[in-house]
Amino acid sequence: MLNIFKELVYSSGVVNLTAGNIFMWLIAFVLLYLAIKKQYEPLLLLPISFGILVVNLPLTFLMEPEHGLIWFFYHYGIEMDIIPPLIFLGLGAMIDFGPLIANPKTLLLGAGAQVGLYVTFFAALLFGFDLKEAASIGIIGGADGPTTIYLGSKLAPHMLGATAVSAYAYMALVPIIQPPIMRLLTSEQERKIDMGKMRPVSRLQKIIFPVLTAMIVMLLAPPSAPLIAMLMLGNLFRESGVVERLTNASSNELMNIVTIFQGLSVGATMTATVFLNPKVLFVFFLGLFAFTVSTATGLLMAKFMNLFLKNKINPLIGAAGVSAVPMAARCVHKVGSEANRRNYLLMHAMGPNVAGVIGTVAAAAIFLKNLG
Amino acid sequence: MIDWSKAMEVFGSGIIGVYLIMGLLMVLTQIGLKVVDYIEAWNKRPAPEQAQ
């Protein structure tokens, strides 16, 4: 009887628990709290935090290569580049590029915000990260989860959990991080700039845009193909108006299914042995730096453009050049309307916001071309 | 040991590359929009008999 009891205890995970496992549970509980109670990016943080929890239960072998259930999700979904492009398909089916088409100049604001990403790349190198690690940290500044995961899984898979969680956590914190930077870098007068009404965009223009963008971006940066192709296909589904079932499937069922696998797989990479390393934890600090600098460079790009433009743009919309669709645009609108009640910046900010998605993919493709 | 010359190459080519892609996309989008505007205006013009 005693032997049976002993065997039961020794074959259980309890005796194999480490302090690291328990610490990771605490992280999982904090993320669960943020997802459920605070509703910070719950669609992602909830499966990520559950992934962290279950992978840190000893002897479950969920991430055991060739055997573990979540390992299969991770291997076929993330390592083999299936999930991030599928998320982009759904994203494309949900995004309205109309505000960007109405004001193509905002594409430059999407590029401006990416400068922060390269500044962070350089900063990470100064803090002792190697080139590939620095690139996967820098991309956090793009505030685009699937692109962060796509690049991270190729360049620094050992830091994937930290970079992905960092990206999603800071995306959720956009309303807290961005406004002080916006107020610091713009004057009251600039924040009051009224951009008026947007020009109307026809259906034909909306149909041509994804086709043209896919061709240009993929010709100039071929490594961007998986993400840009799927993003623009999803958008073409939406704008063509003839495949409503495919649009709905991409933006609802498919998107929801792959989101589950993505979250769980990313969370499961955060085992105590990999994650509890000062270098990996430092990623969170650099992620915040990336986000801050990208916001600032987007704003400064808008101010720079105003030196040459006859019809001035409100520089606040430059801050939406980080992706984080649509939270960054909403944040711009809120800060703008505080300065001028009649200022309706939401749609104007959506232009650089969706340009930021394209810009981040282009930046990731250039990183891959140089370091992949 | 970090290869700083490679780092500078990644940094420089990254910033220039992103601006190049987005700038070209902006120019071609603007041209495309003008062409579409022209085609749509052409299609909307009144037929000769209606004009009379």
Side-chain angles (χ1 to χ4, degrees):
Chain A
M1 184 70 183
L2 191 66
N3 278 345
I4 294 170
F5 181 71
K6 258 186 182 174
E7 207 172 295
L8 190 70
V9 169
Y10 284 112
S11 65
S12 74
V14 181
V15 289
N16 291 285
L17 264 180
T18 63
N21 290 138
I22 295 168
F23 187 77
M24 293 308 293
W25 293 358
L26 294 177
I27 291 178
F29 292 145
V30 169
L31 293 178
L32 276 172
Y33 172 79
L34 292 176
I36 298 168
K37 181 75 180 170
K38 299 281 179 185
Q39 299 201 6
Y40 286 169
E41 290 284 330
L43 293 177
L44 259 303
L45 282 190
L46 206 138
I48 286 177
S49 50
F50 199 75
I52 296 171
L53 181 68
V54 295
V55 85
N56 283 288
L57 295 169
L59 305 183
T60 52
F61 304 115
L62 287 167
M63 278 298 270
E64 178 86 357
E66 309 283 345
H67 291 100
L69 172 72
I70 305 180
W71 180 85
F72 285 107
F73 298 157
Y74 176 76
H75 179 67
Y76 291 107
I78 306 281
E79 280 187 330
M80 298 186 84
D81 299 336
I82 304 292
I83 290 177
L86 288 180
I87 298 238
F88 260 55
L89 178 74
L91 199 61
M94 289 195 280
I95 285 181
D96 176 11
F97 282 107
L100 172 63
I101 301 168
N103 190 2
K105 285 192 290 289
T106 55
L107 277 160
L108 292 180
L109 298 174
Q114 311 312 316
V115 174
L117 199 146
Y118 287 96
V119 172
T120 309
F121 164 75
F122 218 79
L125 290 176
L126 292 174
F127 280 108
F129 290 91
D130 67 29
L131 288 167
K132 291 184 175 182
E133 290 172 340
S136 59
I137 293 170
I139 203 76
I140 297 171
D144 188 327
T147 310
T148 304
I149 292 168
Y150 182 75
L151 189 72
S153 68
K154 287 183 178 300
L155 297 185
H158 57 287
M159 294 197 325
L160 182 63
T163 50
V165 171
S166 178
Y168 282 111
Y170 294 133
M171 277 161 64
L173 294 174
V174 160
I176 297 166
I177 299 171
Q178 285 199 321
I181 306 165
M182 291 176 185
R183 292 189 192 105
L184 185 72
L185 292 177
T186 54
S187 65
E188 179 83 12
Q189 215 55 36
E190 285 174 323
R191 292 196 291 274
K192 280 182 178 169
I193 294 175
D194 187 345
M195 291 180 65
K197 280 192 176 173
M198 297 182 95
R199 60 160 270 179
V201 176
S202 71
R203 180 169 169 244
L204 181 59
Q205 287 167 336
K206 285 188 173 183
I207 290 172
I208 288 173
F209 181 78
V211 179
L212 189 72
T213 306
M215 288 172 68
I216 295 167
V217 179
M218 285 195 281
L219 278 172
L220 293 176
S224 68
L227 295 179
I228 282 291
M230 298 308 271
L231 180 72
M232 294 304 156
L233 176 64
N235 194 248
L236 191 59
F237 283 166
R238 173 195 164 101
E239 302 302 348
S240 68
V242 292
V243 284
E244 201 179 332
R245 279 166 51 191
L246 299 188
T247 310
N248 290 337
S250 308
S251 59
N252 295 311
E253 295 87 349
L254 184 60
M255 181 85 158
N256 292 340
I257 291 167
V258 291
T259 299
I260 295 169
F261 292 130
Q262 175 180 269
L264 203 54
S265 307
V266 167
T269 62
M270 292 169 67
T271 54
T273 44
V274 173
F275 191 77
L276 294 178
N277 166 349
K279 208 174 164 186
V280 173
L281 291 174
F282 198 62
V283 168
F284 284 91
F285 166 74
L286 282 170
L288 179 60
F289 176 78
F291 214 86
T292 307
V293 179
S294 294
T295 302
T297 54
L299 277 165
L300 294 175
M301 181 67 199
K303 288 172 78 132
F304 179 72
M305 283 169 68
N306 269 349
L307 296 176
F308 308 97
L309 291 173
K310 205 167 79 179
N311 296 323
K312 305 288 182 207
I313 55 174
N314 189 315
L316 288 176
I317 68 167
V322 298
S323 313
V325 183
M327 278 162 320
R330 280 189 198 143
C331 198
V332 166
H333 175 70
K334 188 169 174 284
V335 176
S337 57
E338 280 168 10
N340 176 1
R341 270 191 182 185
R342 284 179 297 175
N343 213 352
Y344 198 82
L345 287 177
L346 184 63
M347 292 316 284
H348 292 289
M350 280 306 290
N353 210 187
V354 293
V357 178
I358 301 171
T360 308
V361 174
I366 296 168
F367 270 137
L368 274 178
K369 200 174 157 196
N370 285 316
L371 301 170
Chain B
M1 193 66 190
I2 294 163
D3 179 353
W4 285 103
S5 65
K6 180 74 179 170
M8 289 307 293
E9 185 194 321
V10 174
F11 183 78
S13 69
I15 292 178
I16 293 168
V18 170
Y19 272 102
L20 185 73
I21 292 170
M22 301 299 268
L24 197 63
L25 189 56
M26 178 187 76
V27 172
L28 292 176
T29 303
Q30 280 173 329
I31 294 171
L33 294 182
K34 288 221 172 357
V35 172
V36 173
D37 278 344
Y38 180 78
I39 293 169
E40 286 179 335
W42 177 265
N43 287 341
K44 277 181 191 163
R45 81 194 194 290
E49 57 272 27
Q50 285 174 323
Q52 285 164 7

